[in-house]
Amino acid sequence: MGDGKMLYILYILLGLLIVLGVDCAITAFLAIRDTLKYQKEDRMSFTAAFMKYFAKNNNIPTSFSDIFE
């Protein structure tokens, strides 16, 4: 009986990892697209522009205070 409860926890954690992984992949794709599109206008290096647009496109709060904004 205890093994079934552990499997549910494992499935929940696996589901959360999948959701977070897919969200990071989509955010990275959008950040790369925006970086290549606006890099010359912004006059930034690829790394700096990627970090800017990754933060802009990220929809998961990276800080506890971001939840309330």
Side-chain angles (χ1 to χ4, degrees), residues 18-39:
I18 290 171
V19 167
L20 290 175
V22 168
D23 182 65
C24 283
I26 291 171
T27 302
F29 171 76
L30 293 173
I32 290 172
R33 184 194 67 181
D34 288 346
T35 298
L36 295 175
K37 189 174 181 181
Y38 300 115
Q39 187 176 11

Side-chain angles (χ1 to χ4, degrees), residues 49-63:
F50 177 80
M51 290 171 55
K52 173 187 171 184
Y53 289 113
F54 189 87
K56 182 180 176 185
N57 291 323
N58 192 10
N59 61 356
I60 293 180
T62 55
S63 174

